[in-house]
PDB file of all heavy atoms in Angstrom:
ATOM      1  N   TYR A 275       3.702  16.580  -2.652  1.00 95.00           N
ATOM      2  CA  TYR A 275       3.288  15.263  -3.266  1.00 95.00           C
ATOM      3  C   TYR A 275       4.378  14.784  -4.224  1.00 95.00           C
ATOM      4  O   TYR A 275       5.196  15.567  -4.797  1.00 95.00           O
ATOM      5  CB  TYR A 275       2.009  15.398  -3.988  1.00 95.00           C
ATOM      6  CG  TYR A 275       1.862  16.367  -5.167  1.00 95.00           C
ATOM      7  CD1 TYR A 275       2.063  16.027  -6.457  1.00 95.00           C
ATOM      8  CD2 TYR A 275       1.673  17.702  -4.903  1.00 95.00           C
ATOM      9  CE1 TYR A 275       2.037  16.864  -7.487  1.00 95.00           C
ATOM     10  CE2 TYR A 275       1.620  18.700  -5.960  1.00 95.00           C
ATOM     11  CZ  TYR A 275       1.791  18.248  -7.214  1.00 95.00           C
ATOM     12  OH  TYR A 275       1.756  19.061  -8.191  1.00 95.00           O
ATOM     13  N   VAL A 276       4.425  13.482  -4.462  1.00 96.00           N
ATOM     14  CA  VAL A 276       5.465  12.838  -5.333  1.00 96.00           C
ATOM     15  C   VAL A 276       4.919  12.875  -6.781  1.00 96.00           C
ATOM     16  O   VAL A 276       3.785  12.639  -6.975  1.00 96.00           O
ATOM     17  CB  VAL A 276       5.712  11.312  -4.873  1.00 96.00           C
ATOM     18  CG1 VAL A 276       6.601  10.669  -5.847  1.00 96.00           C
ATOM     19  CG2 VAL A 276       6.239  11.339  -3.423  1.00 96.00           C
ATOM     20  N   HIS A 277       5.796  13.308  -7.666  1.00 93.00           N
ATOM     21  CA  HIS A 277       5.370  13.552  -8.980  1.00 93.00           C
ATOM     22  C   HIS A 277       5.812  12.358  -9.928  1.00 93.00           C
ATOM     23  O   HIS A 277       6.968  11.751  -9.771  1.00 93.00           O
ATOM     24  CB  HIS A 277       6.228  14.692  -9.661  1.00 93.00           C
ATOM     25  CG  HIS A 277       5.903  16.086  -8.888  1.00 93.00           C
ATOM     26  ND1 HIS A 277       5.009  16.869  -9.228  1.00 93.00           N
ATOM     27  CD2 HIS A 277       6.577  16.466  -7.757  1.00 93.00           C
ATOM     28  CE1 HIS A 277       4.968  17.898  -8.392  1.00 93.00           C
ATOM     29  NE2 HIS A 277       5.931  17.760  -7.521  1.00 93.00           N
ATOM     30  N   GLY A 278       4.906  11.984 -10.820  1.00 92.00           N
ATOM     31  CA  GLY A 278       5.322  11.165 -11.985  1.00 92.00           C
ATOM     32  C   GLY A 278       5.490   9.708 -11.793  1.00 92.00           C
ATOM     33  O   GLY A 278       4.879   9.057 -10.891  1.00 92.00           O
ATOM     34  N   PHE A 279       6.382   9.148 -12.547  1.00 94.00           N
ATOM     35  CA  PHE A 279       6.473   7.643 -12.801  1.00 94.00           C
ATOM     36  C   PHE A 279       7.335   7.030 -11.747  1.00 94.00           C
ATOM     37  O   PHE A 279       6.976   5.865 -11.256  1.00 94.00           O
ATOM     38  CB  PHE A 279       7.280   7.464 -14.145  1.00 94.00           C
ATOM     39  CG  PHE A 279       7.612   5.994 -14.490  1.00 94.00           C
ATOM     40  CD1 PHE A 279       6.660   5.003 -14.434  1.00 94.00           C
ATOM     41  CD2 PHE A 279       8.903   5.638 -14.949  1.00 94.00           C
ATOM     42  CE1 PHE A 279       7.023   3.764 -14.762  1.00 94.00           C
ATOM     43  CE2 PHE A 279       9.237   4.473 -15.291  1.00 94.00           C
ATOM     44  CZ  PHE A 279       8.309   3.531 -15.260  1.00 94.00           C
ATOM     45  N   GLU A 280       8.301   7.615 -11.045  1.00 95.00           N
ATOM     46  CA  GLU A 280       9.098   6.972 -10.024  1.00 95.00           C
ATOM     47  C   GLU A 280       8.603   7.321  -8.690  1.00 95.00           C
ATOM     48  O   GLU A 280       8.252   8.478  -8.403  1.00 95.00           O
ATOM     49  CB  GLU A 280      10.598   7.497 -10.243  1.00 95.00           C
ATOM     50  CG  GLU A 280      11.197   6.968 -11.624  1.00 95.00           C
ATOM     51  CD  GLU A 280      12.624   7.459 -11.736  1.00 95.00           C
ATOM     52  OE1 GLU A 280      13.447   6.696 -11.070  1.00 95.00           O
ATOM     53  OE2 GLU A 280      12.881   8.482 -12.228  1.00 95.00           O
ATOM     54  N   SER A 281       8.398   6.318  -7.825  1.00 97.00           N
ATOM     55  CA  SER A 281       7.944   6.515  -6.538  1.00 97.00           C
ATOM     56  C   SER A 281       8.996   7.165  -5.604  1.00 97.00           C
ATOM     57  O   SER A 281      10.137   7.325  -5.977  1.00 97.00           O
ATOM     58  CB  SER A 281       7.365   5.213  -6.015  1.00 97.00           C
ATOM     59  OG  SER A 281       8.514   4.443  -5.501  1.00 97.00           O
ATOM     60  N   ALA A 282       8.628   7.177  -4.301  1.00 96.00           N
ATOM     61  CA  ALA A 282       9.609   7.687  -3.323  1.00 96.00           C
ATOM     62  C   ALA A 282      10.625   6.624  -2.906  1.00 96.00           C
ATOM     63  O   ALA A 282      11.554   6.904  -2.231  1.00 96.00           O
ATOM     64  CB  ALA A 282       8.826   8.243  -2.082  1.00 96.00           C
ATOM     65  N   VAL A 283      10.483   5.392  -3.409  1.00 96.00           N
ATOM     66  CA  VAL A 283      11.361   4.281  -3.077  1.00 96.00           C
ATOM     67  C   VAL A 283      12.036   3.810  -4.386  1.00 96.00           C
ATOM     68  O   VAL A 283      11.399   3.580  -5.422  1.00 96.00           O
ATOM     69  CB  VAL A 283      10.622   3.098  -2.548  1.00 96.00           C
ATOM     70  CG1 VAL A 283      11.483   1.855  -2.399  1.00 96.00           C
ATOM     71  CG2 VAL A 283      10.035   3.454  -1.172  1.00 96.00           C
ATOM     72  N   THR A 284      13.373   3.835  -4.360  1.00 96.00           N
ATOM     73  CA  THR A 284      14.225   3.329  -5.478  1.00 96.00           C
ATOM     74  C   THR A 284      13.795   1.997  -5.923  1.00 96.00           C
ATOM     75  O   THR A 284      13.663   1.077  -5.072  1.00 96.00           O
ATOM     76  CB  THR A 284      15.704   3.456  -5.114  1.00 96.00           C
ATOM     77  OG1 THR A 284      16.054   4.778  -4.754  1.00 96.00           O
ATOM     78  CG2 THR A 284      16.513   2.939  -6.254  1.00 96.00           C
ATOM     79  N   GLY A 285      13.560   1.841  -7.224  1.00 95.00           N
ATOM     80  CA  GLY A 285      13.235   0.536  -7.782  1.00 95.00           C
ATOM     81  C   GLY A 285      11.758   0.183  -7.799  1.00 95.00           C
ATOM     82  O   GLY A 285      11.430  -0.866  -8.240  1.00 95.00           O
ATOM     83  N   VAL A 286      10.865   1.054  -7.243  1.00 97.00           N
ATOM     84  CA  VAL A 286       9.472   0.888  -7.269  1.00 97.00           C
ATOM     85  C   VAL A 286       8.869   2.026  -8.070  1.00 97.00           C
ATOM     86  O   VAL A 286       9.229   3.146  -7.947  1.00 97.00           O
ATOM     87  CB  VAL A 286       8.873   0.896  -5.831  1.00 97.00           C
ATOM     88  CG1 VAL A 286       7.440   0.805  -5.965  1.00 97.00           C
ATOM     89  CG2 VAL A 286       9.478  -0.268  -5.009  1.00 97.00           C
ATOM     90  N   PHE A 287       7.937   1.717  -9.033  1.00 98.00           N
ATOM     91  CA  PHE A 287       7.354   2.611  -9.992  1.00 98.00           C
ATOM     92  C   PHE A 287       5.859   2.666  -9.851  1.00 98.00           C
ATOM     93  O   PHE A 287       5.252   1.798  -9.340  1.00 98.00           O
ATOM     94  CB  PHE A 287       7.721   2.251 -11.468  1.00 98.00           C
ATOM     95  CG  PHE A 287       9.335   2.091 -11.559  1.00 98.00           C
ATOM     96  CD1 PHE A 287       9.883   0.780 -11.425  1.00 98.00           C
ATOM     97  CD2 PHE A 287      10.106   3.117 -11.801  1.00 98.00           C
ATOM     98  CE1 PHE A 287      11.236   0.556 -11.479  1.00 98.00           C
ATOM     99  CE2 PHE A 287      11.532   2.909 -11.929  1.00 98.00           C
ATOM    100  CZ  PHE A 287      12.069   1.655 -11.715  1.00 98.00           C
ATOM    101  N   ARG A 288       5.300   3.870 -10.472  1.00 97.00           N
ATOM    102  CA  ARG A 288       3.923   4.049 -10.411  1.00 97.00           C
ATOM    103  C   ARG A 288       3.456   4.160 -11.853  1.00 97.00           C
ATOM    104  O   ARG A 288       3.905   4.997 -12.584  1.00 97.00           O
ATOM    105  CB  ARG A 288       3.566   5.449  -9.717  1.00 97.00           C
ATOM    106  CG  ARG A 288       4.328   5.449  -8.399  1.00 97.00           C
ATOM    107  CD  ARG A 288       3.792   6.673  -7.402  1.00 97.00           C
ATOM    108  NE  ARG A 288       3.917   7.909  -8.156  1.00 97.00           N
ATOM    109  CZ  ARG A 288       3.540   9.078  -7.525  1.00 97.00           C
ATOM    110  NH1 ARG A 288       3.031   9.042  -6.406  1.00 97.00           N
ATOM    111  NH2 ARG A 288       3.602  10.180  -8.203  1.00 97.00           N
TER     112      ARG A 288
END
Side-chain angles (χ1 to χ4, degrees):
Y275 58 96
V276 175
H277 302 265
F279 176 47
E280 296 183 86
S281 79
V283 173
T284 300
V286 177
F287 306 92
R288 312 190 305 177

